[in-house]
Amino acid sequence: MTETALTVHQTARLPAGFPTAGHFRFAESPVPEPAPGTALVENLYWSVDPYHREMMDGDFELDAPLEGRTLGRVVDSRSPSLAEGQIVLHRQGWRTHAVVRPEEVRRIPSHPGVPLSAYLSVLGGTGLTAYVALTRIARLREGEDLFVSGAAGGVGTATGRFARLLGAGRLIGSTGTPGKAAYLRDHVGYDAAFDYRTGPVADLLAEAAPTGLDVFVDNVGGDHLGAAIGALRTRGRVVRVGTIGQYNTPEAPPVLFDHADVVEKSLRIEGFLVSDYQDAQEELYDFAVPHLRSGALAADETVIDGFERIVEAFLLMLRGGNTGKILVRAGS
């Protein structure tokens, strides 16, 4: 274990637009000592997520380590319930080392044949978001047709793969490049995928789903949401996961759609926070782990090596430079 710990701090508020490397700084300090009842974790993988951009507007404390989902190994324990060598997930985020209490971590189970990174992607908060969206909120039924916006991101790829395993009918995704659209069709299981930059979303969606949709899982908002409401069939469902289309452009115009559709087609629009569904974590393991072991399910990941590149990875994700879940892995 190294003798120096690194943390990443936000240095200034960013009320609008894209952040830059200048909004962050790395800080060095000695590796902390665990107090009685705590344990020292050396971190192995870090998650950078779209919601971090939203939190930069005021939720993150300035000049303090940024929070976020992180996997690490207990290397020095002063707690009988945290064994040295144990892999844990915590939310202390963008730092190389963390001192944690037992109640602040989730112990990662041993599933032979499952890569550790999966516990931050398809088995982590990303996969749990997709699983809850389909099973708890949309209550997807076999044969139903599904549209996913932001389909090449972490939640979007997991949603597509889970929906296919759950027996969805026609599966349609939107993304920001032709290459990602091809990836969705060729590797993830989408029947159709389009680059939303090539024309009005409503027209592109009508071409991909000429007979309509049953479920829309929305990671983007904006014109995607308006187009999907118009395309939904009677008793269609909209699951609002995120609004990444507005994180860097808060001045974006409001969503336009025919509000009468919601009544006349008996539509349901529901958002959720995955933190309210931690009770579904074991259910997700039971569903996904056998498929991961059999090869029927893959974890779509973009992995950046080296904690010193975590800001680079975050900025890359905001610009759409990742396919699947973007993770940072500790250097060897």
Side-chain angles (χ1 to χ4, degrees), residues 80-119:
S81 59
L82 289 173
E84 293 182 7
Q86 192 167 49
I87 303 297
V88 297
L89 183 146
H90 63 85
R91 298 192 65 94
Q92 292 199 29
W94 296 19
R95 62 181 86 200
T96 56
H97 302 77
V99 174
V100 299
R101 297 188 298 272
E103 63 270 21
E104 295 175 325
V105 306
R106 177 159 56 82
R107 294 153 186 81
I108 297 302
S110 175
H111 293 127
V114 174
L116 185 59
S117 60
Y119 295 96

Side-chain angles (χ1 to χ4, degrees), residues 35 37 55 73 149 152 159 224 242 254 285 302 309:
M55 293 188 71
R73 178 180 291 109
S149 62
T159 300
H224 284 76
Y285 288 156
T302 296
R309 298 180 65 194

Side-chain angles (χ1 to χ4, degrees), residues 107-190:
R107 294 153 186 81
I108 297 302
S110 175
H111 293 127
V114 174
L116 185 59
S117 60
Y119 295 96
L120 277 181
S121 61
V122 74
L123 296 179
T126 297
L128 188 61
T129 299
Y131 184 77
V132 167
L134 293 172
T135 64
R136 300 287 183 91
I137 311 300
R139 298 180 183 177
L140 182 71
R141 294 184 288 270
E142 189 172 351
E144 288 190 316
D145 297 329
L146 178 74
F147 173 45
V148 182
S149 62
V155 172
T157 51
T159 300
R161 291 189 184 275
F162 289 171
R164 187 56 71 214
L165 292 168
L166 290 166
R170 186 163 172 79
L171 189 57
I172 300 157
S174 73
T175 186
T177 71
K180 288 184 179 181
Y183 180 86
L184 292 172
R185 293 189 299 267
D186 297 343
H187 299 285
V188 183
Y190 280 83

Side-chain angles (χ1 to χ4, degrees), residues 36-301:
T38 70
L40 175 65
V41 174
E42 185 172 27
N43 293 324
L44 304 171
Y45 282 91
W46 297 264
S47 176
V48 294
D49 296 288
Y51 81 87
H52 286 136
R53 170 61 190 89
E54 195 173 24
M55 293 188 71
M56 289 183 71
D57 293 342
D59 293 305
F60 281 143
E61 183 180 350
L62 292 181
D63 298 309
L66 302 184
E67 69 93 40
R69 300 183 186 98
T70 307
L71 283 174
R73 178 180 291 109
V74 176
V75 293
D76 188 1
S77 180
R78 301 290 187 270
S79 168
S81 59
L82 289 173
E84 293 182 7
Q86 192 167 49
I87 303 297
V88 297
L89 183 146
H90 63 85
R91 298 192 65 94
Q92 292 199 29
W94 296 19
R95 62 181 86 200
T96 56
H97 302 77
V99 174
V100 299
R101 297 188 298 272
E103 63 270 21
E104 295 175 325
V105 306
R106 177 159 56 82
R107 294 153 186 81
I108 297 302
S110 175
H111 293 127
V114 174
L116 185 59
S117 60
Y119 295 96
L120 277 181
S121 61
V122 74
L123 296 179
T126 297
L128 188 61
T129 299
Y131 184 77
V132 167
L134 293 172
T135 64
R136 300 287 183 91
I137 311 300
R139 298 180 183 177
L140 182 71
R141 294 184 288 270
E142 189 172 351
E144 288 190 316
D145 297 329
L146 178 74
F147 173 45
V148 182
S149 62
V155 172
T157 51
T159 300
R161 291 189 184 275
F162 289 171
R164 187 56 71 214
L165 292 168
L166 290 166
R170 186 163 172 79
L171 189 57
I172 300 157
S174 73
T175 186
T177 71
K180 288 184 179 181
Y183 180 86
L184 292 172
R185 293 189 299 267
D186 297 343
H187 299 285
V188 183
Y190 280 83
D191 296 294
F194 59 81
D195 175 0
Y196 67 86
R197 301 178 194 273
T198 60
V201 174
D203 293 347
L204 295 167
L205 181 59
E207 182 180 355
T211 62
L213 301 162
D214 298 296
V215 174
F216 174 43
V217 177
D218 187 20
N219 296 291
V220 175
D223 52 359
H224 284 76
L225 178 57
I229 287 175
L232 283 168
R233 301 175 182 133
T234 300
R235 293 184 178 80
R237 288 90 75 202
V238 175
V239 184
R240 296 282 288 117
V241 174
T243 312
I244 57 176
Q246 296 177 358
Y247 288 165
N248 298 297
T249 55
E251 72 285 355
V255 178
L256 298 177
F257 62 91
D258 185 350
H259 289 253
D261 276 349
V262 178
V263 176
E264 293 172 1
K265 294 194 287 187
S266 299
L267 304 182
R268 179 162 58 84
I269 304 172
E270 184 174 350
F272 73 99
L273 295 175
V274 72
S275 57
D276 293 332
Y277 289 87
Q278 295 304 309
D279 63 307
Q281 184 65 60
E282 293 299 323
E283 187 179 322
L284 171 62
Y285 288 156
D286 291 342
F287 169 75
V289 168
H291 292 305
L292 281 169
R293 286 174 168 162
S294 73
L297 174 66
D300 301 278
E301 299 172 352

